[in-house]
Amino acid sequence: MKTGDDIRAMLLAVADTMQANRDALCRLDGVIGDADHGIAMAGGFRAVAEALSETAGATPAEVLNIAAKSFLNAVGASSGPLYATGFMRAAAAVKGKDSLADSDAATLIAAMAEGIAHRGKAGPGDKTMLDAWGPAAEAASAHQGGFAETFAIAADAAEAGAEATALMQARLGRAARLGARSVGHKDPGAASAALMLRAMADASN
Amino acid sequence: MALNDATTLPKETPMKTKKIINRGEDAVDEMLDGILLAHGAILARADHPRAIVARHGPREGKVGLMIGGGSGHEPTFVGFVGKGLADAAAIGNVFASPPPDPALACATAIDRGAGVLFMYGNYAGDVMNFDMAAEMAAMDDIEVRTVLTTDDIASAPRDEAAKRRGVAGNFFIFKAAGAACDRMLSLDEVERLARHANARTYTMGVALAPCSLPHTRVPNFELGPDEMEIGMGIHGEPGIERGPLQSADQITDAMMDRILDEMQAAPGDRVAVLVNSLGSTPLMELYIMNRRVQARLSGAGLETHATWVGNYCTSLEMAGASITLMHLDDELTPLIDHPCECAMFRVVA
């Protein structure tokens, strides 16, 4: 059983991870983009952590909606609307629940992936964060197990998905303008998605 | 936890760049504070700290023009807010689209019943955020139209022109649209003229050295000491051709060849010219380029109606320049000549 406070703890762990990896994500983005992805993710989750500082006792859906709004307003960029839509979809998927069952882990991850796909219009193989979130959602949905275990399996799939983006040619976003020159470099959005899921898995243990 | 595949990362640059800033994360807001203190007669904050409006722009029955995008390109976007040009600018973090809220605050502040036109460069993040703002404005009964700028001819081939990004040509395209608004034309007509202006504006850039973000102070791409890259984007997006640094005339010719080929102008046609610094390339070099630009225009039998040279759309301290031509016609020429009074740009009648 996971409460809103547990979800909040998972998001706070993501904030720490993004801060720790901020410059590495910027360098990764510098190869095929504009070198600001780490700043967006670290700044966005710092704002989420601040917004969640006085939300003890909130429901999981309330926590996720606060995360959506604070991330969007701090970031803008592409990751702002993508993650805001993902968090809002996740909130809607568990609306009205005071606590989450094991099976809700897959529900949350799948809703995140759907929201991101809906807002960004990306498909599999476009070399975007969806190439981490899509496999994560599939792996989580196929798994019947505990909450933390489901997140860990999703994180494994997201990491493999992020690695696989190195072989892809970007079809969406700034890197798409590179054409074949984007091949050989891991997508920073997919890399941060894998970091996020791993942090959430570790924090929900 | 760390990114597990360090092999795909370029090695860390030991030297941080030097900047006159306080905290990197405060750079955008502190810049806006300074701009408002310098230009308070022209600019004011709307109902959001990143929403800047023209004090004397919006008026009853006039279409409102909102421009916007990431910071780091000054004077684009905020410097082009003022009577006769844009009514408001929504400001994002450095090189990042603003979220919907400042754009919504701009739309609300400048709507005077005739609708609002959103104009910004064609980037995925900007499109998502500004579209969300437009949806929110529609819920408040504000009619919003959107025209994306796509003047960077290096960013996609001609048959995929709609995929191109917006760069320094924004200056001409926003100028034309703002003048159309100031002439009290309808939203339909302003939108049509904005699209027309965008379709006739062509930009090519060349980068010589990278810029660095205030947060990281690390160069955002690597370019060898004797290299240049033609076609690089204003956020350091890789361009179309990297090679050894050439002379001003050779660089200008390479850019003008492509622009003139795209423009397909007839002898006697008139153009407006912008030779723009990406940040640290000085006026001396821009004027050397302009000398060659004008020679090429004469050689093609084209007439220069007006020329602007300087920092109009920058990428922080990036070294390099861009050339923009607007292919004028009877509709666009009066819009380019139309007076405006902005914080960082004026045209007098």
Side-chain angles (χ1 to χ4, degrees):
Chain A
M1 296 282 272
K2 297 291 173 190
T3 63
D5 289 350
D6 294 326
I7 302 298
R8 175 176 156 232
M10 291 165 71
L11 293 168
L12 296 183
V14 176
D16 290 341
T17 291
M18 293 305 163
Q19 185 58 36
N21 286 284
R22 189 190 80 159
D23 291 354
L25 287 170
C26 284
R27 286 198 298 279
L28 199 55
D29 192 23
V31 183
I32 58 172
D34 58 358
D36 69 351
H37 186 61
I39 291 166
M41 296 306 287
F45 277 98
R46 187 171 60 240
V48 169
E50 281 165 16
L52 290 175
S53 62
E54 289 169 15
T55 56
T59 67
E62 285 165 352
V63 168
L64 290 164
N65 273 324
I66 291 166
K69 195 160 190 263
S70 49
F71 190 88
L72 178 61
N73 282 322
V75 171
S78 333
S79 40
L82 292 170
Y83 276 118
T85 308
F87 284 131
M88 283 191 277
R89 288 287 178 97
V94 296
K95 199 176 168 200
K97 295 184 181 181
D98 288 326
S99 62
L100 304 183
D102 286 348
S103 62
D104 285 324
T107 306
L108 289 177
I109 296 165
M112 288 287 297
E114 279 163 21
I116 289 163
H118 169 81
R119 179 61 63 189
K121 311 272 189 293
D126 284 348
K127 197 181 181 96
T128 71
M129 65 169 76
L130 200 65
D131 289 311
W133 280 103
E138 274 177 38
S141 301
H143 180 72
Q144 306 279 327
F147 196 94
E149 199 181 291
T150 305
F151 264 90
I153 278 166
D156 291 343
E159 282 165 6
E163 289 302 320
T165 61
L167 302 173
M168 298 171 186
Q169 178 167 332
R171 289 198 289 257
L172 272 181
R174 280 201 180 119
R177 271 106 183 199
L178 288 176
R181 282 167 69 180
S182 66
V183 177
H185 305 288
K186 188 156 72 172
D187 179 66
S192 66
L195 289 172
M196 186 186 308
L197 279 159
R198 181 62 66 199
M200 293 174 99
D202 290 349
S204 62
N205 224 324
Chain B
M1 189 185 321
L3 279 168
N4 54 10
D5 189 3
T7 55
T8 61
L9 296 177
K11 53 181 188 296
E12 189 155 11
T13 312
M15 279 271 283
K16 296 261 184 186
T17 58
K18 291 188 278 189
K19 287 184 187 288
I20 302 176
I21 55 172
N22 297 307
R23 295 196 317 162
E25 51 268 49
D26 295 333
V28 172
D29 293 307
E30 291 184 352
M31 170 190 74
L32 290 176
D33 289 346
I35 286 172
L36 288 162
L37 288 165
H39 307 291
I42 292 173
L43 301 175
R45 275 198 166 101
D47 194 21
H48 189 288
R50 301 271 185 101
I52 308 296
V53 297
R55 286 189 184 277
H56 308 294
R59 54 193 189 273
E60 209 56 39
K62 187 182 95 69
V63 172
L65 175 62
M66 189 211 72
I67 59 177
S71 294
H73 304 303
E74 292 72 30
T76 298
F77 298 84
V78 66
F80 301 140
V81 176
K83 187 181 183 319
L85 219 159
D87 295 292
I91 311 298
N93 291 332
V94 177
F95 292 179
S97 164
D101 276 6
L104 180 62
C106 286
T108 305
I110 66 176
D111 178 48
R112 293 291 189 277
V116 174
L117 182 66
F118 282 10
M119 292 188 78
Y120 51 92
N122 181 29
Y123 298 91
D126 293 89
V127 172
M128 285 189 272
N129 285 284
F130 284 117
D131 276 356
M132 287 173 88
E135 288 164 25
M136 293 175 191
M139 285 191 274
D140 294 339
D141 293 322
I142 300 171
E143 185 172 9
V144 174
R145 305 272 180 86
T146 296
V147 174
L148 303 175
T149 61
T150 57
D151 58 296
D152 184 354
I153 63 173
S155 56
R158 198 177 322 202
D159 57 355
E160 294 180 33
K163 288 188 179 175
R164 289 174 173 173
R165 57 201 174 207
V167 288
N170 279 340
F171 167 69
F172 285 136
I173 304 163
F174 295 162
K175 172 81 188 70
C181 293
D182 200 44
R183 292 176 165 214
M184 303 300 283
L185 301 180
S186 69
L187 184 56
D188 281 342
E189 190 64 0
V190 170
E191 182 190 358
R192 183 187 69 77
L193 287 165
R195 291 190 193 285
H196 183 60
N198 181 57
R200 292 174 73 93
T201 302
Y202 310 88
T203 301
M204 276 287 292
V206 61
L208 308 183
C211 58
S212 60
L213 305 187
H215 294 68
T216 59
R217 293 169 42 225
V218 169
N220 68 339
F221 57 85
E222 288 174 19
L223 204 52
D226 300 316
E227 279 186 321
M228 65 173 192
E229 184 154 326
I230 288 191
M232 180 171 281
I234 57 171
H235 313 92
E237 302 96 328
I240 49 179
E241 198 183 324
R242 182 174 283 211
L245 181 63
Q246 296 177 310
S247 70
D249 287 356
Q250 287 171 314
I251 293 171
T252 305
D253 280 348
M255 293 157 80
M256 287 297 287
D257 284 347
R258 282 180 176 263
I259 292 173
L260 291 172
D261 179 55
E262 282 266 341
M263 195 165 76
Q264 297 290 317
D269 284 359
R270 296 167 77 79
V271 296
V273 177
L274 171 65
V275 183
N276 170 59
S277 170
L278 295 181
S280 62
T281 289
L283 283 171
M284 174 183 278
E285 293 166 36
L286 301 182
Y287 280 111
I288 292 170
M289 289 179 77
N290 183 55
R291 168 185 156 278
R292 186 67 175 189
V293 169
Q294 304 296 339
R296 291 295 307 269
L297 290 172
S298 308
L302 302 176
E303 287 181 34
T304 300
H305 177 75
T307 303
W308 283 275
V309 178
N311 287 31
Y312 287 84
C313 181
T314 58
S315 301
L316 297 168
E317 77 276 34
M318 197 191 289
S322 65
I323 299 169
T324 302
L325 295 187
M326 182 184 237
H327 190 184
L328 296 173
D329 62 12
D330 291 345
E331 286 192 310
L332 294 175
T333 303
L335 299 177
I336 292 302
D337 291 344
H338 188 86
C340 66
E341 185 171 8
C342 304
M344 304 177 201
F345 176 64
R346 280 172 194 78
V347 170
V348 286

